[in-house]
Amino acid sequence: MSGLFDLSGKNAVIFGGAGGLGKLIAKAYAEAGATVAIASRSEEKLAAACEDLKEQTGKEFRYYVCDATDEAAVEATAEKANKEMGPVAIMVNSQGINKKVPVLDFPVDEFNKVMNANVTSILITAKHFGKYMKEAGYGKIVNVSSVRGKIATRGAGNAAYCSSKGAEDMLTKVLAAEFGPYGITVNAFGPNIMKTPMMNKVFEMRAGEAGITVDEYLKQQGASLPLRRMSDPEDCVGTALFLAAPASDFLTGNILYPDGGLTAVG
Ligand SMILES: NC(=O)c1ccc[n+]([C@@H]2O[C@H](COP(=O)([O-])OP(=O)(O)OC[C@H]3O[C@@H](n4cnc5c(N)ncnc54)[C@H](OP(=O)(O)O)[C@@H]3O)[C@@H](O)[C@H]2O)c1
């Protein structure tokens, strides 16, 4: 058993690592022994997240300002991270955006922005970090997908998000097939909706429409799930750790669902 969840001696880069879920993943990997860097577009958010993470864990975190949709920026970040940290063995794609518009009104450039941020960015990060993992003969790529890659929403507005997550799931499988011979595993996990900056406004809007508080709204939404509650981002951390750890070394091309049972009954 010992060592199955140990990340000692491993370097990890987490895109979206200052976000609601990414930051928790950064903390868990550091606590499991990894040296962790976080990456995204806003230097202010990255610097603040590194301060928080240091306070919470007593460990040093580095950050890279990088737009994951910008290939030149990702190429430079991959080079810098592998030089400064040593071989990057773990790379997490927890970046993402959502744009909710009914199809009849959806501006095509907004649709493309979501696809770019949620799908094309994964091709780019896998391409440039994968090059170094191939040289090292070992790597773990963990993509944060969504239950919405598997089950469409009933209401209007989610055409871009659901399509992007479905594409992310297939890209995960294709990357697993191509990278497997290099000793690199590629897996994804799909959370249900959670309280993070990405969803807070949506929850406030839905709760406001129903004339209830956000907590009451989430309680209502969770009531029909097998585990009878909505997810917290913390509910995904164990899965994220598993997919980065030696415990999952023979698992690749899979999408796991820490979703309280939604996809089982959905
Ligand atoms: N919250 C939910 O209910 C939920 C449910 C299922 C799946 N997910 C998925 O979970 C992942 C994490 O989301 P979250 O809930 O933690 O949202 P979040 O708090 O909004 O975090 C998203 C992160 O992505 C970064 N980002 C966005 N575009 C980027 C780009 N082009 N390049 C680099 N970084 C970029 C943002 O940082 P910057 O703005 O600094 O770039 C931010 O740190 C996403 O893939 C999301 O689709 C979330």
Side-chain angles (χ1 to χ4, degrees), residues 15-22 39-42 45 66-69 93-97 117-118 144-147 161 165 168 190-199 203:
F15 281 89
L21 182 54
S40 66
R41 296 164 302 177
S42 158
K45 286 192 220 160
C66 179
D67 182 337
T69 66
N93 284 303
S94 190
Q95 71 277 18
I97 59 170
N118 295 3
V144 184
S145 183
S146 166
V147 293
Y161 190 74
K165 291 300 176 176
E168 177 177 340
N192 192 5
I193 47 172
M194 309 171 288
K195 268 177 95 173
T196 67
M198 180 181 274
M199 290 304 290
F203 292 150

Side-chain angles (χ1 to χ4, degrees), residues 18 38 46 58 63-64 81 84 86 96 129 133 167 172 174 176 187 202 217 245 253:
I38 58 177
L46 288 165
Y63 68 77
Y64 296 105
E84 290 177 353
F129 281 83
M133 290 175 177
T172 298
V174 172
N187 293 288
V202 177
Y217 171 76

Side-chain angles (χ1 to χ4, degrees), residues 99 120 217 219:
K99 191 90 198 168
T120 313
Y217 171 76
K219 214 169 170 183

